[in-house]
Amino acid sequence: MKSYLQSLRYLVSTHLLGLLFFTVFRCILFIQGYAGLDAASRSLRMVFPAFVRGIWMDNVIACYIFLIPLTVCSVSALFNYYGKRLYQGIYLFFAIFYSIAWMISAADIPYFNYFFKHINASVFNWFGYWKTTAGMMLGERSYLLAVLLAVGAILLFCRLTHRLLRQLLNGLSCQPSNWREKAVIFLCSALLIGGCLFGIRGRIGYNPIKVSAAYYCNNTFLNQLGIPPTFNLLRSSLEASKSEYKGIDLMNDEEAVQSVRELLHITDTLPDISPIARQVTATAEPTRQNVVLVLMESMSAKLMERYGNHAHLTPTLDSLAQVSLCFDRFFSAGTHTNHAIHSVLYSYPALMQRNSMKGAVIPFYAGLPTILQDNGYETLFFMTHESQYDNMNGFLRTNGFNRIYAQENYPREKVVNSFGVQDDFLYDYALNVLNGTAKDEKPFFCVLLSISNHPPYVVPEHFKAHSSTDEMRIVEFADYALGEFMKKAAAASWFSNTLFVFVGDHGKKVGELRSDMPLSYNHVPCLFYSPGNIEPQPIGALGGQIDLAPTLLGLLNISYINNGFGINLLQESRPYIFFTSDDAIGCLNEELFYINKPKGQQEWLLQIDNCEENGPTEQTEAQVQMKNYAFSMLQTAQYLMKNELTGKFKGYIPQ
């Protein structure tokens, strides 16, 4: 009986030590986000519940790990077996699984700092590009610190648990036990195993514990502080593996399609293409202008002085905004570059964590490259990294791009990190190509995908920035590189007949984060610049990346079939604009911001002012309308994409 109790002490001590380590990681995350909390949220009364809920949910993971060793030790005790190899095996089991937990917890710290979300199943999308992902992690200081933190935690945990193991082995003895002792062992083991299973379930009630259990206040950071990254990754992975989570299931497909037709005022019937396809007829001759579209990495509108940032980070963009058609209420489709490419070029919304460009079967989409290609344009796409990343090469070549320029085309010595070359080199390289292309006397459509404003940040030694952190210095450099590109382009023969478009692919964390879906991640700049051809003016209408292509084609006076979800913002208006992040859907107008997390069945309605969240409000009718607007658009997008893959809808018919 004594040996049984000693083995339980070892198991329970290891379990408690695991909870302590989880709490230490949570403390590090708290320290990292402390500066973003206001005075009221820093009080012990506000912070303490986050840690309590965190331990509660940490215990779920710890109980998963604890269950097998507890069961094995209980069974062996009934047979009076307390062998040395048994407990060495259990020590190894603990070491392996807790090491995985410490690696996830350490990696979550820089991940959360960048995305304001815990690690989730979407990270598995990166495993297909392990070299690039590894390069990012090894090249970014915050990830190197995370690696060191994980290694340190693993070594310390193994050392402490090994000391516990030695204490156990020194006190074990295999003395015979009578039936009364075995009955006590059986009863105690049954209670402990039952308690462990309850710990895994996490709560009394119909449903087991979910991420929503961590939410307890109006401060988004504190709510997320209580969510263990290992728990979040486990839950999202389990959900992603189920058939019902392979896609979104927001409403009935047919109802969604009918709603979208009504909301977009579609009267055309083009069933071979899709239920939302409609003919757009220009009222004038095409302008035959060149188009240069710059997708600016992580360029949140909140980084610009125009939108209230006084750090003087983006003088180029702020100057261009004064002489452009400037869309001040413009939003990215999602929070990843693949979302932006699909949305900007083909007018499709981002379907939460789904990467719409990946897949062995690539459907055809009608969008800027295909439509301009059909109208005699040469189409070019320039990226900094490898062309295979996010399946860009296959997807873009399938959908309208004649030429792709990527890391494979650039000198090896110009590659600075896992994401390839820097913005200034990309722009200079593209200028040389465009100068040669212009000699063919046919218009061109060029997309430039920048990258410098993405970790790992590499600020060139020659660039003198005034900011104190690399995260802000790189914004200055990205803006500077764009300015140099425009200066050099102005000297080119094709400049006066070119329409430039500058749009953020998505935003990033800037300033105080006031909601579960911070608007700095989706509110992005969008500028149309063509000196002598476009009259500069600010545009206050709501718009999104899905609207960029129809608006641009309208300026070019090109007739086409619109098979996307966008509108011409210069001729039509939206009551709402919608967008997503990995796990949330957002929809807003000038005054209200609706957020919905379908898997957690959570929703919020916030007041906003100048694209800033101002706290919760209750307007039931508006909330219902916004929910239907966003849900019907997203559900229809998924329905069309699924049926374009099967061939039910053609999506795009080349001219």
Side-chain angles (χ1 to χ4, degrees), residues 182-408:
K182 288 188 176 182
V184 172
I185 290 173
F186 178 83
L187 181 60
C188 290
S189 296
L191 290 173
L192 286 170
I193 292 172
C196 190
L197 291 172
F198 178 76
I200 291 173
R201 182 175 175 77
R203 62 185 294 271
I204 299 172
Y206 182 75
N207 291 312
I209 190 171
K210 295 183 178 180
V211 169
S212 57
Y215 287 76
Y216 70 98
C217 67
N218 290 327
N219 186 284
T220 302
F221 173 74
L222 292 180
N223 284 335
Q224 296 202 72
L225 184 63
I227 302 172
T230 310
F231 179 88
N232 198 62
L233 180 60
L234 178 64
R235 289 295 306 176
S236 61
S237 299
L238 289 172
E239 291 172 347
S241 68
K242 298 177 182 178
S243 59
E244 61 265 34
Y245 290 108
K246 294 300 182 182
I248 57 174
D249 185 18
L250 305 174
M251 60 190 300
N252 176 271
D253 286 339
E254 287 72 22
E255 291 179 5
V257 171
Q258 185 57 38
S259 178
V260 168
R261 286 183 59 86
E262 294 172 1
L263 292 168
L264 294 179
H265 311 293
I266 298 172
T267 57
D268 286 357
T269 302
L270 303 169
D272 287 344
I273 299 177
S274 90
I276 68 165
R278 62 270 194 202
Q279 179 68 49
V280 177
T281 303
T283 57
E285 289 296 313
T287 64
R288 305 289 290 173
Q289 281 184 286
N290 305 307
V291 178
V292 175
L293 192 159
V294 183
L295 273 172
M296 302 177 292
E297 172 65 41
S298 300
M299 189 56 72
S300 172
K302 277 193 163 186
L303 293 168
M304 294 177 60
E305 187 171 355
R306 182 180 183 88
Y307 303 108
N309 192 315
H310 301 297
H312 198 61
L313 302 173
T314 59
T316 297
L317 277 177
D318 283 308
S319 297
L320 284 169
Q322 298 295 322
V323 293
S324 302
L325 274 178
C326 180
F327 294 87
D328 290 315
R329 297 177 183 270
F330 196 87
F331 294 84
S332 68
T335 54
H336 299 286
T337 302
N338 63 78
H339 295 156
I341 292 173
H342 198 215
S343 184
V344 166
L345 298 180
Y346 307 100
S347 296
Y348 265 68
L351 296 180
M352 306 183 77
Q353 73 269 21
R354 176 174 176 176
N355 184 337
S356 300
M357 296 196 300
K358 294 181 72 172
V361 180
I362 302 173
F364 291 98
Y365 289 100
L368 277 176
T370 54
I371 294 167
L372 292 177
Q373 193 178 58
D374 288 342
N375 280 270
Y377 279 68
E378 182 71 8
T379 53
L380 311 89
F381 195 105
F382 295 83
M383 65 188 79
T384 63
H385 46 66
E386 293 180 347
S387 61
Q388 298 302 313
Y389 190 75
D390 270 349
N391 198 36
M392 287 188 188
N393 187 60
F395 182 87
L396 295 172
R397 289 187 186 279
T398 301
N399 285 287
F401 280 96
N402 301 118
R403 290 186 266 167
I404 307 290
Y405 295 91
Q407 185 174 322
E408 298 91 316

Side-chain angles (χ1 to χ4, degrees), residues 71 91 113 331 477 510 569:
T71 304
Y91 163 78
N113 186 52
F331 294 84
F477 172 69
V510 184
L569 295 174

